[in-house]
Amino acid sequence: MDGGNQSTVSEFVLLGLGHSWSMQVLLFMIFLILYLIIVSGNIVIVTLIITDPHLHSPMYFFLANLSFVDMWLSSVTTPKMISDFLRENKIISFAGCMCQIFFAHFIAASEMVLLVVMAYDRYVAICKPLHYSSIMSLQRCTGLVVSSWTIGFVHAMSHLFVIAQLPFCGPREIDSFFCDMSLVIKLACIDSKNLDMLMNVECGVVGITCFILLLISYTYILLSVLQSSRTGASKALSTCSAHVTVVVIFFVPCIFIYVCPLNITWLDKFLAVFYSVYTPLLNPAIYTMRNKEMKIAMKRLGRYYMSSQGKT
């Protein structure tokens, strides 16, 4: 690496998910529909929270940011994957590959920190309700969101700086549907074992730290809920159960992709699809189906739309 970027590879070949043409067409239709649902569902949540005054609270402010992040999390790899289903040669440029690596880690790390922020918000709301409005001010909420984006950016830049300097001069096939960092490192013309381990450790620092903070927050919340009234406890558990569900479906694939990779090709592909497609798909469903205020807001939006259509 001392010689800088000695790359003679200008593009990589993605092997994708399937090989037969009929399977490619089927996957194209399935993932196109799923991606449209992801984008439209998260846009609806963001629009609801922005336009409905009843949802102008810290919890929904963070939820709007989570939906925005989820939309981009899926958009990093899914559109390319969908278009590649109809192509015989699945090519991605060197610059495009580096962009995928950067944005995948940028958005993933930002979402990890944002989930910790949302857990902190629930901790303050449930454990310190009398001080909630003063602690979770608009200025502090904005600062926490900006911090999550900043941490994600620094994390992604540290990866990009190292990987972009690697010399790529030989094999260029990536057995995945996107530029997975560990697979790209293995294509470098150096002994990449230690570097791959170092990158996984760095991912582990972010991922495991966030996961531990989440466990601590929800443990405190659970202990506080068990000591409170039955009515308050039921509402708090309903809200937190949605948060915990989202945390589990986001962190489990992340841990096995970046922190403790299993190096089993088919399983790695499954986890990557789950992480980049199904997690952003499930989050809007979880928060709307299990949140009374969101359901009411959706009904209000539906009535407003119907009334405006009637007037025209």
Side-chain angles (χ1 to χ4, degrees), residues 48 296-309:
L48 272 177
I296 295 172
M298 290 188 73
K299 290 178 181 178
R300 279 196 294 264
L301 181 64
R303 286 196 297 267
Y304 174 78
Y305 177 77
M306 293 298 293
S307 63
S308 62
Q309 288 293 103

Side-chain angles (χ1 to χ4, degrees), residues 179-199:
C179 282
D180 180 59
M181 180 186 68
S182 61
L183 295 179
V184 173
I185 289 175
K186 289 176 183 176
L187 296 180
C189 301
I190 59 170
D191 183 4
S192 59
K193 185 177 180 181
N194 291 334
L195 178 61
D196 190 28
M197 188 181 299
L198 179 63
M199 294 292 100

Side-chain angles (χ1 to χ4, degrees), residues 16-311:
L17 295 178
H19 299 289
S20 68
W21 175 249
S22 58
M23 178 62 71
Q24 297 276 345
V25 173
L26 177 62
L27 291 174
F28 169 80
M29 297 182 67
I30 291 173
F31 284 108
L32 177 61
I33 293 170
L34 291 177
Y35 181 65
L36 292 175
I37 294 173
I38 289 168
V39 173
S40 58
N42 283 293
I43 286 176
V44 166
I45 288 181
V46 173
T47 304
L48 272 177
I49 293 172
I50 292 174
T51 58
D52 195 322
H54 298 88
L55 301 179
H56 289 177
S57 67
M59 184 177 79
Y60 294 106
F61 173 73
F62 295 133
L63 177 55
N65 279 276
L66 180 66
S67 291
F68 180 77
V69 171
D70 275 335
M71 190 165 54
W72 287 108
L73 177 67
S74 182
S75 298
V76 171
T77 57
T78 308
K80 171 65 176 168
M81 176 182 67
I82 292 171
S83 65
D84 280 347
F85 285 134
L86 302 182
R87 293 174 181 166
E88 185 176 352
N89 297 317
K90 301 169 176 57
I91 304 296
I92 185 169
S93 67
F94 182 86
C97 187
M98 294 302 106
C99 284
Q100 276 197 345
I101 291 173
F102 171 76
F103 284 107
H105 285 267
F106 175 30
I107 295 170
S110 298
E111 180 157 345
M112 286 182 183
V113 179
L114 184 58
L115 288 171
V116 174
V117 169
M118 293 176 74
Y120 173 70
D121 171 69
R122 291 300 83 205
Y123 163 76
V124 176
I126 294 169
C127 300
K128 299 183 179 181
L130 298 179
H131 304 284
Y132 181 70
S133 58
S134 60
I135 294 175
M136 301 306 294
S137 62
L138 178 60
Q139 184 178 1
R140 175 162 293 182
C141 290
T142 304
L144 289 170
V145 170
V146 171
S147 297
S148 70
W149 284 99
T150 303
I151 292 171
F153 179 79
V154 172
H155 170 73
M157 280 300 297
S158 66
H159 285 285
L160 182 65
F161 179 78
V162 173
I163 296 173
Q165 300 299 315
L166 294 177
F168 296 96
C169 54
R172 59 196 187 101
E173 288 188 346
I174 301 173
D175 194 4
S176 184
F177 61 91
F178 75 109
C179 282
D180 180 59
M181 180 186 68
S182 61
L183 295 179
V184 173
I185 289 175
K186 289 176 183 176
L187 296 180
C189 301
I190 59 170
D191 183 4
S192 59
K193 185 177 180 181
N194 291 334
L195 178 61
D196 190 28
M197 188 181 299
L198 179 63
M199 294 292 100
N200 287 334
V201 168
E202 187 179 352
C203 289
V205 169
V206 177
I208 300 300
T209 300
C210 289
F211 194 66
I212 290 172
L213 290 174
L214 285 165
L215 287 177
I216 293 172
S217 297
Y218 286 116
T219 299
Y220 272 106
I221 290 171
L222 181 61
L223 292 175
S224 178
V225 164
L226 292 175
Q227 297 172 1
S228 63
S229 65
R230 178 173 295 182
T231 304
S234 177
K235 184 177 180 181
L237 281 175
S238 177
T239 302
C240 289
S241 62
H243 287 246
V244 172
T245 304
V246 168
V247 167
V248 170
I249 64 175
F250 178 79
F251 269 88
V252 170
C254 273
I255 288 172
F256 286 111
I257 292 172
Y258 297 114
V259 181
C260 302
L262 299 173
N263 295 320
I264 303 172
T265 302
W266 70 267
L267 185 56
D268 289 341
K269 289 183 180 182
F270 170 77
L271 290 171
V273 169
F274 190 92
Y275 158 76
S276 60
V277 177
Y278 288 102
T279 298
L281 178 69
L282 291 172
N283 283 0
I286 290 169
Y287 279 113
T288 53
M289 295 293 289
R290 308 209 44 182
N291 189 294
K292 184 178 179 181
E293 285 80 4
M294 287 297 294
K295 291 179 183 177
I296 295 172
M298 290 188 73
K299 290 178 181 178
R300 279 196 294 264
L301 181 64
R303 286 196 297 267
Y304 174 78
Y305 177 77
M306 293 298 293
S307 63
S308 62
Q309 288 293 103
K311 291 178 183 178

